Amino acid sequence: MTGLDELPIRDDLRGLSPYGAPQLDVPVRLNTNENSYPVPEPVVEAIGKAVAAELRDLNRYPDRDALALRADLAGYLGHGLSAEGVWAANGSNEVQQQLLQVFGGPGRSALGFTPAYSMHPLLALGTGTRWEPALRGVDFGLTAQEAVSQVRRHRPDMVFLCSPNNPTGTALDPAVIAAVLDVAPGMVVVDEAYAEFARPGTTSALAVLAGHPRLVVTRTMSKAFGFAGGRLGYLAADPAVVAAVQLVRLPYHLSALTQAAARAALAHRAALLGTVAAIMQQRDRIVTELRRRGLRVADSDANFVLYEVGGDQSAAWRALLGHGVLVRDVGVPGWLRVTAGTPAETDAFLAAVDRILSEAAA
């Protein structure tokens, strides 16, 4: 059997492993920030009807530009957006890859503030874009002064900001985004995959899109909408950015079935987003309970919590798995990330933590 080393792959890809979280059959899965609540039955029926209506015409290509879907997404986002300022693809990863294809590439660079979403540097690598890792401050925070200093130092063609940030859960002060926009020589991409879970009063970068043609805000339906299996991500930006992305998009990249399912989901967004408040409650409960047990916990505006385990995070991950709870080792030494799920899942996670702490103290 041929191995990778025997194929003429690019030198910068040798020795790497594909991105992915473990997919294990365990009682409690809290490792990939999915919405733990199943799609409500009325929404299932509506999506089924929408998809069924497309089946007879599968011999034809779908709407290449997904105009109706983009109009629906613009209506959901508000902020005066129209279809011309929205673009959709198969998950926000594909959206960000397209942005790197058109604004990054060989001879160009992208910068992100780590720890952050680990796909960003991988997407940069895949597009031949040099990745510049910048650092967050104490307690994973990022001030406008720190951000500006590092952007000025590296002069990247693209800056990636995450708000709320994955894996820390921290939301950015709008002043940070404004300061970066003032000094960045190229594009500024704000990844808002978890925006729907942010605490009241948290400002979205959508509020400052007008007048900033080099700002892009990316979103997803995978998290709050519980549409991870549907694979639908999107961006909001100046219409010129959307036109630029279309230079590199694959023809007919969004299937007719995906477009139909996503439009049906958006039409029933009240039902799908009805679980957000319950998930936020469990997130805050996890933060409170872990701190009550004496553990350090990062403040979170997302549907997950990053907490310090007080030692080897790999060993702590295995210990939790031994108790039937799967969380995520995101590579931050001494810390693990747990998704906020149902009350029963939170009960199971906290019970496993208590057993591990008890065993360590014995």
Side-chain angles (χ1 to χ4, degrees):
M1 180 175 176
T2 303
L4 278 179
D5 291 341
E6 299 173 74
L7 295 175
I9 66 173
R10 287 165 29 192
D11 290 340
D12 56 352
L13 296 179
R14 293 192 181 279
L16 299 182
S17 299
Y19 172 88
Q23 293 182 305
L24 305 176
D25 186 13
V26 296
V28 180
R29 293 188 297 175
L30 300 173
N31 67 323
T32 53
N33 301 338
E34 297 162 317
N35 189 320
S36 291
Y37 292 89
V39 177
E41 193 57 37
V43 185
V44 170
E45 294 176 3
I47 292 175
K49 289 179 181 178
V51 169
E54 300 293 328
L55 296 180
R56 189 173 299 279
D57 293 325
L58 286 184
N59 59 310
R60 301 294 184 184
Y61 285 115
D63 175 8
R64 180 178 57 229
D65 296 326
L67 286 171
L69 171 59
R70 288 162 57 196
D72 290 350
L73 287 166
Y76 166 65
L77 291 176
H79 294 276
L81 285 163
S82 65
E84 289 73 23
V86 176
W87 181 248
N90 294 283
S92 57
N93 286 339
E94 184 179 36
V95 170
Q96 291 159 4
Q97 177 176 270
Q98 291 171 339
L99 290 168
L100 282 158
Q101 286 175 310
V102 73
F103 297 114
R108 296 191 173 195
S109 65
L111 178 146
F113 298 89
T114 59
Y117 185 36
S118 59
M119 269 303 297
H120 291 158
L122 293 176
L123 291 170
L125 174 66
T127 57
T129 308
R130 187 177 75 257
W131 181 256
E132 299 284 0
L135 296 176
R136 289 176 168 265
V138 179
D139 295 328
F140 309 116
L142 182 64
T143 67
Q145 182 179 3
E146 291 167 339
V148 165
S149 173
Q150 297 183 79
V151 170
R152 281 178 170 161
R153 182 184 312 134
H154 295 285
R155 303 287 299 169
D157 297 280
M158 298 180 68
V159 177
F160 281 86
L161 299 170
C162 297
S163 186
N165 185 51
N166 178 15
T168 65
T170 46
L172 285 177
D173 186 327
V176 175
I177 298 173
V180 170
L181 283 169
D182 283 343
V183 301
M187 304 299 294
V188 176
V189 180
V190 182
D191 186 337
E192 290 190 347
Y194 301 93
E196 286 90 350
F197 298 104
R199 285 170 285 188
T202 304
T203 303
S204 167
L206 292 170
V208 294
L209 265 182
H212 289 101
R214 294 190 177 186
L215 172 63
V216 183
V217 181
T218 64
R219 292 280 189 100
T220 181
M221 291 181 68
S222 294
K223 309 303 181 180
F225 276 85
F227 198 70
R231 307 306 303 131
L232 199 291
Y234 53 103
L235 66 76
D238 188 279
V241 174
V242 176
V245 167
Q246 288 177 303
L247 296 174
V248 298
R249 62 103 172 95
L250 294 173
Y252 312 109
H253 68 295
L254 272 179
S255 76
L257 304 184
T258 297
Q259 293 183 45
R263 293 193 68 201
L266 284 165
H268 292 80
R269 57 181 172 266
L272 288 172
L273 296 176
T275 61
V276 168
I279 292 169
M280 291 171 64
Q281 185 177 32
Q282 293 307 305
R283 173 200 68 201
D284 294 341
R285 178 188 169 200
I286 291 171
V287 171
T288 299
E289 290 298 324
L290 290 179
R291 286 176 175 168
R292 191 170 65 82
R293 288 157 172 79
L295 300 175
R296 285 180 64 201
V297 184
D299 290 332
S300 178
D301 276 280
N303 69 331
F304 55 83
V305 175
L306 187 74
Y307 71 101
E308 193 172 32
V309 299
D312 179 4
Q313 83 277 3
S314 297
W317 181 87
R318 290 191 297 271
L320 283 168
L321 186 61
H323 291 292
V325 179
L326 179 62
V327 299
R328 187 72 179 271
D329 180 353
V330 291
V332 179
W335 295 72
L336 289 175
R337 191 193 71 191
V338 57
T339 304
T342 65
E345 288 172 332
T346 301
D347 290 344
F349 165 70
L350 293 173
V353 168
D354 285 340
R355 287 194 291 271
I356 293 168
L357 291 174
S358 178
E359 291 164 0

mmCIF file of all heavy atoms in Angstrom, residues 1 5 10 40 74 108 152 179 188 195 231 259 279 303 316 327 352:
data_model
loop_
_atom_site.group_PDB
_atom_site.id
_atom_site.type_symbol
_atom_site.label_atom_id
_atom_site.label_comp_id
_atom_site.label_asym_id
_atom_site.label_seq_id
_atom_site.Cartn_x
_atom_site.Cartn_y
_atom_site.Cartn_z
ATOM 1 N N MET A 1 0.856 -1.199 0.000
ATOM 2 C CA MET A 1 0.000 0.000 0.000
ATOM 3 C C MET A 1 0.887 1.243 0.000
ATOM 4 O O MET A 1 1.828 1.347 0.784
ATOM 5 C CB MET A 1 -0.907 -0.006 1.233
ATOM 6 C CG MET A 1 -1.840 1.189 1.327
ATOM 7 S SD MET A 1 -2.972 1.044 2.729
ATOM 8 C CE MET A 1 -3.806 2.595 2.628
ATOM 9 N N ASP A 5 4.480 9.468 2.041
ATOM 10 C CA ASP A 5 5.869 9.820 1.750
ATOM 11 C C ASP A 5 6.306 9.393 0.356
ATOM 12 O O ASP A 5 7.297 9.899 -0.174
ATOM 13 C CB ASP A 5 6.800 9.200 2.792
ATOM 14 C CG ASP A 5 6.645 9.833 4.163
ATOM 15 O OD1 ASP A 5 6.104 10.956 4.203
ATOM 16 O OD2 ASP A 5 7.033 9.222 5.166
ATOM 17 N N ARG A 10 3.401 18.354 -1.806
ATOM 18 C CA ARG A 10 4.182 19.548 -1.497
ATOM 19 C C ARG A 10 5.014 19.326 -0.238
ATOM 20 O O ARG A 10 4.560 18.701 0.717
ATOM 21 C CB ARG A 10 3.252 20.743 -1.285
ATOM 22 C CG ARG A 10 2.643 21.275 -2.537
ATOM 23 C CD ARG A 10 1.459 22.202 -2.294
ATOM 24 N NE ARG A 10 1.506 22.924 -1.034
ATOM 25 C CZ ARG A 10 0.463 23.606 -0.543
ATOM 26 N NH1 ARG A 10 -0.688 23.622 -1.206
ATOM 27 N NH2 ARG A 10 0.561 24.242 0.598
ATOM 28 N N PRO A 40 -36.067 20.384 15.806
ATOM 29 C CA PRO A 40 -37.479 20.143 16.139
ATOM 30 C C PRO A 40 -38.232 19.500 14.977
ATOM 31 O O PRO A 40 -37.962 19.790 13.801
ATOM 32 C CB PRO A 40 -38.016 21.546 16.447
ATOM 33 C CG PRO A 40 -36.804 22.348 16.809
ATOM 34 C CD PRO A 40 -35.693 21.796 15.979
ATOM 35 N N ALA A 74 -29.228 37.724 4.443
ATOM 36 C CA ALA A 74 -29.158 39.165 4.679
ATOM 37 C C ALA A 74 -30.315 39.620 5.556
ATOM 38 O O ALA A 74 -30.139 40.447 6.469
ATOM 39 C CB ALA A 74 -29.170 39.914 3.351
ATOM 40 N N ARG A 108 2.082 36.380 0.140
ATOM 41 C CA ARG A 108 1.253 37.172 1.056
ATOM 42 C C ARG A 108 1.165 36.478 2.408
ATOM 43 O O ARG A 108 1.492 35.308 2.535
ATOM 44 C CB ARG A 108 -0.138 37.390 0.462
ATOM 45 C CG ARG A 108 -0.122 38.221 -0.820
ATOM 46 C CD ARG A 108 -1.516 38.639 -1.233
ATOM 47 N NE ARG A 108 -1.488 39.560 -2.351
ATOM 48 C CZ ARG A 108 -2.520 40.303 -2.738
ATOM 49 N NH1 ARG A 108 -3.680 40.230 -2.084
ATOM 50 N NH2 ARG A 108 -2.411 41.125 -3.762
ATOM 51 N N ARG A 152 1.153 46.140 13.186
ATOM 52 C CA ARG A 152 2.165 47.042 12.638
ATOM 53 C C ARG A 152 3.497 46.334 12.427
ATOM 54 O O ARG A 152 4.222 46.603 11.463
ATOM 55 C CB ARG A 152 2.341 48.238 13.568
ATOM 56 C CG ARG A 152 1.242 49.298 13.430
ATOM 57 C CD ARG A 152 1.425 50.414 14.398
ATOM 58 N NE ARG A 152 0.516 51.539 14.099
ATOM 59 C CZ ARG A 152 0.181 52.492 14.964
ATOM 60 N NH1 ARG A 152 0.691 52.455 16.206
ATOM 61 N NH2 ARG A 152 -0.636 53.451 14.607
ATOM 62 N N ALA A 179 -9.464 49.465 16.125
ATOM 63 C CA ALA A 179 -8.041 49.799 16.081
ATOM 64 C C ALA A 179 -7.318 49.011 14.996
ATOM 65 O O ALA A 179 -6.454 49.551 14.294
ATOM 66 C CB ALA A 179 -7.407 49.531 17.455
ATOM 67 N N VAL A 188 -9.435 42.548 6.951
ATOM 68 C CA VAL A 188 -9.660 42.149 8.342
ATOM 69 C C VAL A 188 -10.885 41.244 8.367
ATOM 70 O O VAL A 188 -11.983 41.660 7.976
ATOM 71 C CB VAL A 188 -9.875 43.368 9.263
ATOM 72 C CG1 VAL A 188 -10.197 42.909 10.687
ATOM 73 C CG2 VAL A 188 -8.647 44.267 9.256
ATOM 74 N N ALA A 195 -21.475 33.939 17.503
ATOM 75 C CA ALA A 195 -22.045 35.234 17.868
ATOM 76 C C ALA A 195 -23.397 35.129 18.559
ATOM 77 O O ALA A 195 -23.713 35.922 19.452
ATOM 78 C CB ALA A 195 -22.172 36.113 16.622
ATOM 79 N N ARG A 231 -23.994 21.938 6.657
ATOM 80 C CA ARG A 231 -22.813 22.595 6.103
ATOM 81 C C ARG A 231 -23.167 23.896 5.378
ATOM 82 O O ARG A 231 -23.212 23.967 4.160
ATOM 83 C CB ARG A 231 -22.034 21.673 5.134
ATOM 84 C CG ARG A 231 -21.664 20.306 5.678
ATOM 85 C CD ARG A 231 -20.901 20.374 7.010
ATOM 86 N NE ARG A 231 -19.687 21.161 6.910
ATOM 87 C CZ ARG A 231 -19.364 22.134 7.778
ATOM 88 N NH1 ARG A 231 -20.177 22.433 8.780
ATOM 89 N NH2 ARG A 231 -18.238 22.799 7.659
ATOM 90 N N GLN A 259 -28.997 24.491 -0.501
ATOM 91 C CA GLN A 259 -29.669 25.792 -0.525
ATOM 92 C C GLN A 259 -31.109 25.687 -0.023
ATOM 93 O O GLN A 259 -31.568 26.523 0.767
ATOM 94 C CB GLN A 259 -29.637 26.357 -1.944
ATOM 95 C CG GLN A 259 -28.243 26.719 -2.429
ATOM 96 C CD GLN A 259 -28.254 27.348 -3.811
ATOM 97 O OE1 GLN A 259 -29.072 28.218 -4.106
ATOM 98 N NE2 GLN A 259 -27.353 26.911 -4.680
ATOM 99 N N ILE A 279 -28.726 26.754 26.226
ATOM 100 C CA ILE A 279 -27.305 26.423 26.116
ATOM 101 C C ILE A 279 -26.458 27.450 26.862
ATOM 102 O O ILE A 279 -25.496 27.099 27.565
ATOM 103 C CB ILE A 279 -26.896 26.341 24.629
ATOM 104 C CG1 ILE A 279 -27.567 25.128 23.980
ATOM 105 C CG2 ILE A 279 -25.385 26.251 24.486
ATOM 106 C CD1 ILE A 279 -27.447 25.086 22.479
ATOM 107 N N ASN A 303 -20.591 28.799 23.146
ATOM 108 C CA ASN A 303 -21.326 27.639 23.678
ATOM 109 C C ASN A 303 -20.356 26.593 24.215
ATOM 110 O O ASN A 303 -20.634 25.397 24.170
ATOM 111 C CB ASN A 303 -22.244 27.028 22.614
ATOM 112 C CG ASN A 303 -21.465 26.348 21.492
ATOM 113 O OD1 ASN A 303 -20.334 26.733 21.187
ATOM 114 N ND2 ASN A 303 -22.078 25.350 20.858
ATOM 115 N N ALA A 316 -5.809 14.457 31.632
ATOM 116 C CA ALA A 316 -7.149 14.848 32.090
ATOM 117 C C ALA A 316 -8.194 14.479 31.049
ATOM 118 O O ALA A 316 -9.302 14.043 31.390
ATOM 119 C CB ALA A 316 -7.179 16.345 32.373
ATOM 120 N N VAL A 327 -14.415 15.450 25.739
ATOM 121 C CA VAL A 327 -14.232 16.886 25.592
ATOM 122 C C VAL A 327 -13.114 17.103 24.573
ATOM 123 O O VAL A 327 -12.685 16.184 23.902
ATOM 124 C CB VAL A 327 -13.926 17.560 26.948
ATOM 125 C CG1 VAL A 327 -15.089 17.351 27.916
ATOM 126 C CG2 VAL A 327 -12.618 17.046 27.539
ATOM 127 N N ALA A 352 -18.194 13.666 36.399
ATOM 128 C CA ALA A 352 -16.908 13.091 36.024
ATOM 129 C C ALA A 352 -15.760 13.928 36.575
ATOM 130 O O ALA A 352 -14.757 13.390 37.063
ATOM 131 C CB ALA A 352 -16.812 12.991 34.500
#
